[in-house]
Amino acid sequence: MFGYIRPLVSEFDNYLFKSEYCSLCKTLGGRYGQLSRFLISYDITLLALVLSSLKKEPFQYRYENCLIHPVKKRRIKLIGEVEDFSAEVTAVMFRNKFLDQIRDEKGIQKSLYRSVYRMTGNWEKRIKNKKLLMLNKSLDEIYLLETVQKSSDVDVVSNAFGSILKRIMMIAADSLSIKIPVSVYDFSFLLGKWIYLMDAFEDLRKDLRKWSYNPLILSNKDLLLDGIERDDLIQDIVTNEKWRLELLLDHMYDCFMRFEKYLGVYNYEIDGIISRAIPVMTRRILDKTTKTTEKEEETDGE
Amino acid sequence: MANNPYKVLGVKPGATKKEIKDAYNQLVKKYHPDKYKEEHMKELAEQKMKEINEAYDTLINGNYNERAAGQSYSSSNDGQSSGDYEFYQQVRRLIQAGRFSEAQNLLNDSKVRDAEWYYLMGVINVQYGNYNEGRALFERAMQLNPENSEYRAAYQQTLNGTFFSRRAGHARTDSDQCCKVCATLYCMDCCCEMGGGDFISCC
């Protein structure tokens, strides 16, 4: 579900973001084993970056090598409370993702995910912040919303995921004793909503083919019942739902404007991600959804 | 609220019972679950039928019209009773201050459902991320009071994704002339203070 935020290439002199990313990657490796480093996502990095900036600690770093970049030393932010917390968030979220996959997939993939889930069984014991485990319950609620209720309300389902990100920030405020402005909570809620929607758009074609749950399909059931051809159908769904994304981007930027003053040195980079990278990614995902043809997708191997 | 029964049945507000019945019969024929072969399409069609039935019941039993009729007295002329005006000003202040849940509680407790009520409820819903609901509420406010430019602007802005930036930019509509004047005075005061003078002595 994660991984939709990508800093723009031209802006990859984003050294704060980069060093936060490396630091989070190292924390994951140290705590949950080398393989867990593949789970690192830009989205959680963004949350970590916002938390670091609100914590108002001076930016401290050192140069280190790592497995993926063995030659050139990289600037790595010193690991602190924020990175520990973000690593735990990553662990909890991915444990749940594996669980979802076990429920959804069939055959080999199902058993593959099951073994991964078992392998990572000890992660939860290692999580110091027990409040984070409460997220499991909220994530289960979304699962029910998707499978039992089969909600056709795009806002309800995406807001439920947004609430989880908001919840994470609330736990962070509590356990790291950071003062978090209301607009940051609102923003994390919207970021979650955005991530959910991006996921729904990206999976639209696959879900139509496999007939899996996707709120975008159910909320546009008229089009489906009218028997429109699949490519046109996807185009129509995207056209129907575009306003929601535009409004969401506007909403996110508005929230950011209200908390940018608290971000200090991090302001410039976070601004770059929110006001430029996120809109670009939105457009890219929509283009991908409408333009990928059936054949290309088959060879993608999903 | 998200499903406007008129929209579901594809008839104009104020349609006669016969028109509603005709539209209903046509839709039932069109979306009958037996028309679809695959199981999942049948399921979808059943959902659709449920919506159609609900919309039909609401319109035929007059539940929707009744509510609309009850509010037209205050929406047809802008001269709301002074009690209502005070009440809505209070709700607007709460919204402005970002205290949405308090504003929502006030609105829920109110018995009147007029255009302003739907509009303000729409603002709160959009703020909460319930964009569809908000859009439907704005549409309802617009239907009840088509002349109000604020409602129309809000509806348009949700559609073209400028709702929040417009508001943050204080792009207020005519109904808030008073606020504009206050804001201008306040700005003038701030500028004057920087220049050494003082326009409003108390702040």
Side-chain angles (χ1 to χ4, degrees):
Chain A
M1 181 156 281
F2 285 108
Y4 290 103
I5 295 176
R6 303 270 158 82
L8 297 176
V9 180
S10 58
E11 285 179 271
F12 222 78
D13 48 343
N14 269 325
Y15 76 98
L16 293 170
F17 189 86
K18 246 169 148 181
S19 50
E20 182 75 78
Y21 185 82
C22 289
S23 174
L24 190 54
C25 183
K26 290 234 168 197
T27 319
L28 277 170
R31 295 193 53 173
Y32 304 108
Q34 292 303 324
L35 280 177
S36 72
R37 295 173 75 162
F38 287 108
L39 302 182
I40 185 158
S41 67
Y42 287 126
D43 314 48
I44 305 260
T45 311
L46 178 64
L47 288 187
L49 202 64
V50 172
L51 285 175
S52 297
S53 62
L54 293 172
K55 206 160 185 281
K56 301 220 173 344
E57 269 179 358
F59 181 76
Q60 290 173 308
Y61 60 88
R62 59 163 184 257
Y63 284 92
E64 266 181 42
N65 284 326
C66 79
L67 279 174
I68 302 156
H69 309 282
V71 183
K72 200 177 167 211
K73 286 194 172 183
R74 302 215 147 211
R75 192 184 342 226
I76 290 165
K77 184 171 177 288
L78 291 190
I79 295 171
E81 269 184 320
V82 171
E83 286 70 35
D84 263 340
F85 178 82
S86 311
E88 290 189 337
V89 170
T90 309
V92 172
M93 297 305 276
F94 272 95
R95 284 276 293 165
N96 266 284
K97 191 181 159 68
F98 299 149
L99 198 60
D100 268 0
Q101 299 284 8
I102 295 172
R103 289 154 166 168
D104 291 347
E105 299 289 346
K106 288 177 195 112
I108 301 170
Q109 285 195 329
K110 192 186 182 93
S111 43
L112 195 80
Y113 278 112
R114 191 172 286 147
S115 52
V116 172
Y117 189 72
R118 281 209 199 107
M119 256 163 57
T120 56
N122 56 350
W123 285 8
E124 285 186 16
K125 281 179 218 139
R126 274 189 251 169
I127 287 172
K128 284 178 276 173
N129 197 331
K130 295 297 173 203
K131 281 183 200 145
L132 281 175
L133 294 177
M134 289 194 298
L135 295 176
N136 287 335
K137 223 183 121 205
S138 324
L139 284 159
D140 273 348
E141 276 163 21
I142 296 186
Y143 186 73
L144 287 182
L145 214 56
E146 292 181 340
T147 52
V148 181
Q149 294 188 24
K150 297 204 168 139
S151 173
S152 62
D153 193 326
V154 183
D155 283 327
V156 168
V157 197
S158 54
N159 286 358
F161 191 71
S163 306
I164 288 180
L165 256 67
K166 185 176 170 182
R167 193 66 194 274
I168 291 174
M169 292 310 250
M170 286 169 128
I171 298 173
D174 201 37
S175 9
L176 310 179
S177 38
I178 303 175
K179 215 174 153 238
I180 295 182
V182 184
S183 44
V184 173
Y185 290 132
D186 291 346
F187 175 78
S188 28
F189 170 79
L190 296 172
L191 183 69
K193 188 179 169 80
W194 181 80
I195 291 171
Y196 190 93
L197 286 174
M198 288 296 101
D199 201 44
F201 274 104
E202 198 170 38
D203 290 348
L204 186 57
R205 193 177 288 269
K206 188 185 88 186
D207 290 341
L208 270 171
R209 185 155 42 86
K210 293 188 166 181
W211 198 250
S212 322
Y213 172 82
N214 189 323
L216 295 173
I217 299 177
L218 295 184
S219 71
N220 288 285
K221 57 175 170 297
D222 290 15
L223 296 173
L224 226 81
L225 291 170
D226 288 345
I228 301 174
E229 190 108 353
R230 190 174 295 162
D231 280 325
D232 294 337
L233 182 72
I234 288 169
Q235 189 70 54
D236 285 354
I237 291 179
V238 169
T239 319
N240 263 358
E241 301 291 333
K242 216 171 176 183
W243 70 275
R244 196 192 303 274
L245 288 174
E246 294 290 338
L247 189 57
L248 180 58
L249 291 179
D250 192 45
H251 202 170
M252 281 165 110
Y253 189 68
D254 179 49
C255 278
F256 168 67
M257 294 300 279
R258 277 183 280 136
F259 69 78
E260 66 168 346
K261 54 178 178 283
Y262 304 107
L263 298 178
V265 286
Y266 295 85
N267 187 347
Y268 177 74
E269 288 186 17
I270 295 178
D271 182 18
I273 291 166
I274 294 171
S275 56
R276 286 184 290 279
I278 288 184
V280 167
M281 273 316 285
T282 312
R283 232 166 293 137
R284 221 175 272 171
I285 299 265
L286 289 187
D287 283 352
K288 200 177 142 203
T289 309
T290 46
K291 281 187 192 139
T292 326
T293 59
E294 213 67 25
K295 262 186 193 163
E296 276 173 46
E297 204 195 344
E298 303 270 322
T299 50
D300 265 358
E302 286 159 36
Chain B
M1 186 63 220
N3 284 325
N4 181 335
Y6 290 112
K7 250 191 185 167
V8 174
L9 294 181
V11 290
K12 281 187 187 138
T16 60
K17 285 208 170 173
K18 190 178 177 302
E19 283 170 336
I20 293 171
K21 266 183 195 162
D22 287 348
Y24 173 76
N25 286 335
Q26 235 169 27
L27 286 175
V28 168
K29 251 184 237 161
K30 190 177 171 194
Y31 292 116
H32 199 282
D34 289 350
K35 272 182 63 185
Y36 300 95
K37 285 182 208 123
E38 299 104 322
E39 209 42 55
H40 62 256
M41 290 299 272
K42 271 191 204 299
E43 220 174 282
L44 271 191
E46 271 161 27
Q47 275 183 30
K48 179 76 189 164
M49 286 300 292
K50 211 175 133 204
E51 277 173 22
I52 295 170
N53 284 329
E54 271 170 20
Y56 179 72
D57 284 346
T58 326
L59 289 186
I60 286 294
N61 295 332
N63 290 343
Y64 200 70
N65 279 323
E66 223 169 28
R67 260 162 51 197
Q71 55 224 210
S72 55
Y73 76 94
S74 54
S75 55
S76 55
N77 51 347
D78 269 327
Q80 292 163 323
S81 67
S82 62
D84 278 358
Y85 180 77
E86 282 296 314
F87 171 73
Y88 286 131
Q89 281 303 311
Q90 193 188 348
V91 176
R92 273 174 187 263
R93 273 195 296 274
L94 285 174
I95 291 177
Q96 199 103 54
R99 290 152 70 179
F100 303 119
S101 61
E102 286 167 70
Q104 196 177 18
N105 286 340
L106 275 183
L107 285 177
N108 279 330
D109 289 344
S110 153
K111 286 197 184 72
V112 192
R113 294 285 183 275
D114 55 9
E116 179 80 358
W117 188 93
Y118 284 106
Y119 166 71
L120 292 175
M121 209 52 165
V123 174
I124 294 170
N125 267 286
V126 172
Q127 290 283 356
Y128 278 149
N130 300 325
Y131 297 155
N132 234 357
E133 183 81 13
R135 187 179 139 181
L137 286 160
F138 289 147
E139 206 178 358
R140 191 100 175 86
M142 231 164 57
Q143 268 171 21
L144 293 171
N145 190 351
E147 287 103 63
N148 189 307
S149 54
E150 191 179 12
Y151 306 158
R152 206 174 327 123
Y155 180 73
Q156 285 302 331
Q157 285 161 7
T158 44
L159 280 189
N160 58 27
T162 54
F163 184 82
F164 298 95
S165 46
R166 276 301 170 82
R167 284 177 164 253
H170 302 293
R172 318 272 317 178
T173 46
D174 331 336
S175 61
D176 290 294
Q177 283 297 350
C178 166
C179 286
K180 236 184 218 166
V181 175
C182 295
T184 321
L185 283 177
Y186 182 69
C187 286
M188 274 172 70
D189 181 46
C190 290
C191 297
C192 289
E193 264 158 25
M194 257 175 239
D198 196 0
F199 189 67
I200 310 169
S201 53
C202 60
C203 58

